[in-house]
Amino acid sequence: MTTNDSHDTRPTGASRGAWSAVFSLTLGVFSLVMAEFLPASLLTPMADSLAISEGQAGQAVTVTAVVALLSGLLVTSATQRLDRRHVLLGFSGLMIAANLLVAYSPDLIWLLAGRVLLGVALGGFWALSAATVMRLVPEHDVPRALSLLFTGVPIATISAAALGSYLGDLVGWRNVFLLATAISVATLIFQYVTLPSMTPERPTPLGTLVSVMKRPGMMVGIVAILLVFCGHFAFFTYIRPFLEGVSHMGINALSSTLLAFGVANFVGTLAAGYLLERSLRLTLVLMPLIMGSLGWLLATLGGFSLGTDALMVALWGFAFGAVPVAWSTWITRVVPDEAESGGGLIVASIQLAIALGAAVGGVVFGIGGVLAVCATAGTLLLVAAALVLAGVRTRPVPAGEGDTVVASCQ
């Protein structure tokens, strides 16, 4: 491995990579994320069919995010004595049940019940994902395996937005969720065939979350995660008003730009593995630095050229593609002995940042318009880059040293 900021501290090693199992987890990411965001592209027909408002239907996305936050925090302690293979298969089973409940829901209550089940599966899966990858591949392959895992996110996001709305008009929204159910079944079968037995190494009570947070540099890292994701979602929530109101894009140019964002995000996710093999710290700093600079460029030069605006949006997508991979790799490096609890903290932080980003963006948009949103998002991201550079550790601190070791860059 060419990086200088890590060494082999994995609790469980793998002499050879179980790449088929990693692929099965990638399919799990695709299935979960697509199911999470399908309601966003099907709000109107869902609301009409269930005789509810679009605002009420929109709570199908909100409730999933809230439950995912709680699930991510609690899953490690709640399943501390269970084989990780069985837990992951259980989450895929919950995903199947969730999609079926939504597909056949007669009213809002059943719809929300299905989305609660999906939230449990989503948060729990993400919390365990990085720690699971650590046990499937050799340490030097972990960044590349995580980048493969996260490629499911942009593919699922594009599929949910584009295919969801198209197929919804073609075959109806309920059949779209039945299709999602079929994909979930395929995911469960693939994981059943490929995932090895992974017994828990030791009990991880709920208090482990607190002890992990007390380790030097962890709090700084969590704050940096909040800033990065809050800045991104503040911008991304209002990307369409920017492209329509500032860039003056028509529907074709708008669709092409959003597609370019998704493709660039996919490429950035793949590139993250190679970047992280060279330097974790550089990747953690560089990506929010690029995004923050683009935020201010969009705020000051936005609307000058349609092509330039589209290029900057695509570059933002590329840079953000590496962000989840980098922070997942970070947690496997700094707390390799408690990667599951650390993963739960990251899941909770990201879900909170999504809500905060949309809220902050909404307030700023109401006060200063979409250009002010770009500037605010850019500022949050630049602060995050400075925080990573100044105070985020990339080397592990053994348990018990949290009270004696001063957080510093190493």
Side-chain angles (χ1 to χ4, degrees):
M1 191 170 185
T2 56
T3 182
N4 294 322
D5 50 19
S6 73
H7 56 276
D8 193 354
T9 53
R10 293 192 312 156
T12 304
S15 59
R16 57 182 179 178
W19 288 100
S20 58
V22 176
F23 275 109
S24 76
L25 294 178
T26 303
L27 183 57
V29 169
F30 171 79
S31 304
L32 283 164
V33 175
M34 185 176 70
E36 180 183 14
F37 291 112
L38 269 179
S41 63
L42 298 167
L43 274 186
T44 301
M46 288 176 68
D48 291 342
S49 174
L50 298 173
I52 58 178
S53 69
E54 290 187 4
Q56 288 175 309
Q59 297 309 307
V61 176
T62 304
V63 72
T64 301
V66 172
V67 174
L69 187 156
L70 297 173
S71 175
L73 288 174
L74 299 176
V75 64
T76 302
S77 59
T79 64
Q80 58 183 303
R81 301 188 184 280
L82 299 179
D83 189 314
R84 271 29 199 155
R85 165 186 161 87
H86 298 153
V87 175
L88 290 168
L89 292 176
F91 288 145
S92 293
L94 277 180
M95 176 170 55
I96 293 170
N99 287 328
L100 284 174
L101 268 179
V102 172
Y104 291 107
S105 57
D107 53 38
L108 179 62
I109 299 299
W110 284 98
L111 172 67
L112 294 181
R115 300 299 292 182
V116 165
L117 289 183
L118 183 66
V120 173
L122 185 71
F125 178 90
W126 279 124
L128 299 181
S129 60
T132 302
V133 166
M134 288 176 68
R135 301 178 68 170
L136 292 175
V137 300
E139 192 219 0
H140 64 272
D141 282 332
V142 168
R144 195 169 298 180
L146 285 172
S147 70
L148 174 62
L149 183 75
F150 277 93
T151 57
V153 176
I155 297 174
T157 304
I158 294 171
S159 299
L163 287 179
S165 57
Y166 175 75
L167 292 176
D169 289 337
L170 195 65
V171 299
W173 70 270
R174 294 184 186 275
N175 285 321
V176 173
F177 277 97
L178 288 177
L179 175 60
T181 303
I183 296 173
S184 301
V185 170
T187 297
L188 178 61
I189 294 171
F190 192 15
Q191 291 176 348
Y192 182 83
V193 172
T194 60
L195 285 177
S197 176
M198 292 172 283
T199 56
E201 292 165 308
R202 62 181 179 279
T204 49
L206 194 58
T208 304
L209 289 171
V210 178
S211 64
V212 169
M213 280 296 292
K214 288 182 177 179
R215 295 193 189 185
M218 276 300 297
M219 183 64 75
V220 179
I222 295 298
V223 172
I225 291 171
L226 282 169
L227 289 171
V228 171
F229 282 89
C230 186
H232 168 71
F233 283 101
F235 167 74
F236 189 71
T237 303
Y238 294 92
I239 188 172
R240 182 160 183 166
F242 174 87
L243 296 176
E244 289 178 331
V246 177
S247 303
H248 303 293
M249 290 187 180
I251 186 62
N252 290 333
L254 175 67
S255 299
S256 298
T257 300
L258 292 177
L259 177 61
F261 178 95
V263 172
N265 186 251
F266 174 77
V267 175
T269 303
L270 286 178
Y274 297 96
L275 293 171
L276 290 165
E277 286 177 352
R278 284 146 184 82
S279 175
L280 171 59
R281 179 173 299 284
L282 179 62
T283 307
L284 289 173
V285 172
L286 188 59
M287 297 308 148
L289 181 61
I290 291 173
M291 295 161 66
S293 301
L294 287 169
W296 273 100
L297 286 172
L298 288 165
T300 54
L301 302 178
F304 179 77
S305 165
L306 186 148
T308 303
D309 288 353
L311 177 61
M312 288 193 286
V313 168
L315 287 174
W316 185 299
F318 174 85
F320 182 70
V323 168
V325 188
W327 284 107
S328 293
T329 302
W330 173 77
I331 206 68
T332 67
R333 299 273 180 87
V334 295
V335 285
D337 57 321
E338 295 291 355
E340 289 186 358
S341 294
L345 290 172
I346 285 186
V347 170
S349 301
I350 292 174
Q351 294 297 331
L352 178 59
I354 292 173
L356 288 175
V360 169
V363 171
V364 174
F365 183 81
I367 296 173
V370 72
L371 293 179
V373 173
C374 294
T376 301
T379 300
L380 291 172
L381 286 154
L382 291 176
V383 171
L387 192 60
V388 172
L389 190 61
V392 172
R393 300 178 63 95
T394 55
R395 292 174 184 260
V397 177
E401 293 187 18
D403 297 328
T404 59
V405 180
V406 179
S408 62
C409 296
Q410 296 187 20

